[in-house]
Amino acid sequence: PSTALCLERLATLKLADTTVLDWGCGSGILAVAALKLGASKAFGVDIDHHALAATRELAGLNLVDDRLMVYRPEDMPHDFRCQVIVANLLARTLIDLAPTLGRHLTDDGKLFLSGILEDQVTDVAAAFGREYAFDIVSRDGWAMIIAIRHKNTEPHETTF
């Protein structure tokens, strides 16, 4: 359900002229889907070299390998920023990655955080802080947090 939630949300976006970062890309399905849905570029990041190879292979099979770059986290350019980040990972990992993902997101960018059990939503959202507006979508006990950065506005309280 967590992957399906991400795919469904990506399909609702206008991705032309957009760069998408898939952090924890696994097989690359979310990065490749973003490219097939119109993103101009995508980046896949994973700690597992097998996942990066699978992502490259899937991109090649879908004829989008010329627009997909893959990196290990330590090789990701520190100053890279993009409009959309998808991270379908476990809650603890998302919490640990909050500063990193935030650093790579543009002002008014969108985060799709999935792989979260419904009772973990508050903890994950709290890790990202008040500079985001949150929306929650859930299915079969799994949740996805849609977080939109509003850096140029006053922080506000978010309750769940």
Side-chain angles (χ1 to χ4, degrees):
S2 61
T3 302
L5 289 168
C6 292
L7 289 168
E8 289 165 9
R9 188 53 58 146
L10 281 172
T12 68
L13 299 178
K14 293 179 181 171
L15 292 173
D17 300 318
T18 300
T19 300
V20 175
L21 172 59
D22 178 4
W23 198 286
C25 60
S27 68
I29 190 167
L30 297 174
V32 169
L35 291 168
K36 297 296 272 185
L37 290 166
S40 56
K41 289 188 283 186
F43 290 74
V45 174
D46 209 294
I47 60 173
D48 183 348
H49 71 277
H50 294 296
L52 298 177
T55 298
R56 282 188 200 97
E57 182 179 354
L58 185 64
L61 292 171
N62 283 276
L63 306 175
V64 295
D65 51 320
D66 60 328
R67 297 184 290 140
L68 176 68
M69 283 64 64
V70 296
Y71 290 98
R72 291 185 50 81
E74 62 270 18
D75 297 329
M76 189 69 187
H78 186 75
D79 61 349
F80 170 81
R81 293 180 56 149
C82 64
Q83 300 90 352
V84 177
I85 297 176
V86 182
N88 186 17
L89 300 163
L90 298 175
R92 180 78 251 159
T93 304
L94 291 169
I95 290 167
D96 291 345
L97 283 172
T100 300
L101 296 178
R103 181 180 68 240
H104 290 301
L105 189 67
T106 60
D107 292 347
D108 296 325
K110 295 179 175 127
L111 283 167
F112 299 111
L113 307 169
S114 197
I116 305 163
L117 296 173
E118 287 176 332
D119 65 352
Q120 299 170 325
V121 166
T122 302
D123 292 339
V124 174
F128 284 84
R130 292 193 229 171
E131 68 184 68
Y132 296 91
F134 299 100
D135 190 19
I136 311 301
V137 180
S138 60
R139 179 179 300 148
D140 300 330
W142 293 93
M144 179 174 67
I145 298 172
I146 299 120
I148 301 173
R149 173 180 273 161
H150 293 293
K151 192 170 185 137
N152 297 326
T153 60
E154 289 296 312
H156 60 281
E157 286 295 321
T158 302
T159 58
F160 296 97

